[in-house]
Amino acid sequence: MKTESALSKRIRRHVTGRIREFFASAAPGLEKLCFGELISLPGSITDVQAVPGGVAFKARVHDAYLANLHLRTASRILMRIGAFTASSFSQLEHCLEDFPWELYLHPGDMPEFHITAAHSRLFHTGAIAERFAKNITERMKEIFPLSHAENTESLSPQIFIRVADDRFTISLDSSGEHLHKRGIRKLGGDAPIRETTASAVLRLAGYDAQEPLIDPMCGTGTFSLEAAMLATRTPPGFFRNFAFMHWPCFQPGRWAHIRREAEKQISFPDKAPLIFASDAEEKACEDLKKNISGTPFSPLIQTQRRDFFDLSPAEFTDQKGMVVINPPYGLRLGSPEKSAELFQAVCRHLAETYKEWKFALIAADPKLIRNLPFSFRKHPLFHGGLNLHLLAGKIL
């Protein structure tokens, strides 16, 4: 049996003391934005490479703290903890025999497994999970014979296992809940756009975080809240916890230092509000008010019930800025015809009322973007299983 002090030394030597491989997953189309965010972070992050589905990079464990705190477009961050080849269950069991789970899990932890398998002899994900669970139980009983009861005080760790061409890649989740959950919004409406996507929309459309922003079909207020975090340079993960806080290698002092340094960069504009959110639905406006109540963003966001087609930006500000709209579509309106009618009406109102304003407009159907009354750049977006299109530009 290895003593606790010996285990601590092994953790420092093999986990915190080494450059590790990580993967920041991102929605399709957001990989380059995530890449840009990663390379702008301080620390020892190296070998950053955008690939389909995310960004691979090398770093020390505390750099993963930093990435979870600051990345606005990443979905989650995984640490690679093992890789091997196995084409039969006997080979799999053999490869797992000496796997050092004690470096990554606490006594009694039983992870939740997320397994994908393709082009491999082993493809039954349930059977693969059973082998991993059995191996973890036996290994942890061996290392911690007096502490093998289920750990009910910590979050259940998540382990991601990818099997491709008989090659197993094992990753430990460092994020916990999906990173689009910023820890602010308590109430949500139907099919809200994710915060990660909203942040990408604002960046792709050229929002500079200094100009006024109008969110006239605000729904759950995702765009308004993301704009407020950008305008104040508030890290997207500042108000939430992460899975790495439950790792055996977690360094509370290092994490506290990273948060303090991030907090020093947060600043609020002298003049508020900068962000104007409205919606025709009273409940949407009330939910947004409740979401921002008690947060430092409350003074920055002016919220009121208004119909977009009765609204003029001059009512809010004499400056030019950005208007961002995700019009309802599909089942929310009842038919494709109604969606098309609404979209065309939105475009006409923008062209007539928002002269010299930048815009970010989401279209669900490529047929809708023909013959629009203004020019635009088009960016693909993926949300909720739908292929969407971001239209961005300036109304001249």
Side-chain angles (χ1 to χ4, degrees):
M1 173 183 174
K2 298 177 176 62
T3 65
E4 182 178 356
S5 59
L7 177 58
S8 297
K9 291 178 181 178
R10 289 181 60 218
I11 289 172
R12 285 197 300 273
R13 184 167 65 251
H14 295 289
V15 185
T16 56
R18 288 188 178 180
I19 299 292
R20 310 284 310 199
E21 292 185 3
F22 291 89
F23 185 76
S25 64
L30 303 190
E31 296 94 343
K32 289 185 179 179
L33 289 177
C34 188
F35 172 89
E37 290 186 276
L38 263 170
I39 62 174
S40 69
L41 294 178
S44 54
I45 296 174
T46 61
D47 296 345
V48 184
Q49 182 180 5
V51 297
V55 183
F57 63 101
K58 294 181 180 179
R60 296 191 181 275
V61 169
H62 62 261
D63 294 312
Y65 304 174
L66 193 72
N68 274 287
L69 179 65
H70 285 284
L71 294 185
R72 299 182 189 276
T73 56
S75 301
R76 66 175 64 252
I77 298 170
L78 306 175
M79 181 171 70
R80 306 302 196 199
I81 62 173
F84 51 77
T85 298
S87 58
S88 67
F89 283 113
S90 61
Q91 282 187 321
L92 174 59
E93 291 166 358
H94 176 72
C95 291
L96 289 174
E97 279 181 1
D98 297 317
F99 199 92
W101 295 110
E102 66 275 11
L103 301 181
Y104 310 107
L105 303 175
H106 289 286
D109 280 349
M110 180 47 64
E112 177 182 345
F113 298 104
H114 303 267
I115 304 172
T116 58
H119 308 296
S120 294
R121 292 176 178 84
L122 299 181
F123 58 85
H124 192 297
T125 58
I128 293 171
E130 287 177 7
R131 266 63 173 191
F132 271 82
K134 180 181 178 182
N135 177 263
I136 290 172
T137 299
E138 292 176 350
R139 176 75 178 189
M140 299 301 273
K141 283 183 179 180
E142 177 186 345
I143 301 299
F144 306 103
L146 302 179
S147 304
H148 58 267
E150 183 180 354
N151 187 351
T152 59
E153 296 183 359
S154 70
L155 297 176
S156 178
Q158 297 186 86
I159 289 181
F160 288 73
I161 302 167
R162 182 174 181 268
V163 192
D165 300 317
D166 298 331
R167 183 70 175 173
F168 281 70
T169 303
I170 309 167
S171 302
L172 179 63
D173 170 49
S174 73
S175 302
E177 288 192 298
H178 194 288
L179 289 178
H180 82 269
K181 296 187 176 181
R182 309 302 202 202
I184 299 173
R185 191 169 63 185
K186 303 174 182 65
L187 300 171
D190 295 333
I193 195 166
R194 283 186 166 182
E195 286 80 351
T196 45
T197 303
S199 184
V201 165
L202 293 173
R203 183 170 172 182
L204 290 168
Y207 176 61
D208 68 5
Q210 303 296 320
E211 61 199 349
L213 181 131
I214 295 181
D215 183 7
M217 293 185 179
C218 67
T220 57
T222 307
F223 287 115
S224 294
L225 285 165
E226 285 300 299
M229 297 187 85
L230 285 165
T232 57
R233 298 183 9 181
T234 301
F238 196 76
F239 299 100
R240 55 164 286 170
N241 292 326
F242 300 96
F244 64 72
M245 299 170 69
H246 301 275
W247 287 1
C249 67
F250 177 57
Q251 299 171 296
R254 174 82 74 165
W255 172 233
H257 172 73
I258 289 172
R259 287 191 88 256
R260 284 195 302 270
E261 290 302 304
E263 190 171 17
K264 291 178 184 177
Q265 304 302 315
I266 299 174
S267 62
F268 284 77
D270 295 330
K271 185 179 180 181
L274 289 174
I275 300 160
F276 307 92
S278 61
D279 199 281
E281 297 293 331
E282 182 68 30
K283 186 178 185 304
C285 297
E286 291 303 315
D287 285 351
L288 177 54
K289 289 177 182 178
K290 290 176 183 177
N291 280 331
I292 63 175
S293 176
T295 74
F297 308 117
S298 182
L300 272 68
I301 304 174
Q302 177 180 311
T303 307
Q304 58 179 276
R305 182 183 181 185
R306 294 291 299 275
D307 188 305
F308 167 70
F309 298 102
D310 296 329
L311 192 64
S312 167
E315 298 178 49
F316 298 120
T317 176
D318 57 1
Q319 302 177 58
K320 306 299 182 184
M322 174 174 286
V323 55
V324 56
I325 305 177
N326 180 25
Y329 44 80
L331 294 177
R332 295 163 67 188
L333 287 181
S335 70
E337 291 75 20
K338 289 185 177 179
S339 294
E341 290 174 8
L342 174 62
F343 188 84
Q344 295 299 331
V346 166
C347 292
R348 288 193 297 271
H349 188 67
L350 285 174
E352 294 168 1
T353 315
Y354 287 81
K355 296 290 186 182
E356 298 183 29
W357 276 70
K358 291 190 289 187
F359 67 91
L361 176 63
I362 294 177
D365 187 341
K367 297 177 183 177
L368 298 177
I369 63 180
R370 299 170 183 168
N371 303 317
L372 296 189
F374 41 73
S375 60
F376 57 86
R377 305 181 306 276
K378 186 173 71 170
H379 303 275
L381 291 176
F382 185 81
H383 169 65
L386 297 174
N387 291 313
L388 305 178
H389 306 273
L390 167 64
L391 313 182
K394 188 173 184 178
I395 299 171
L396 302 176

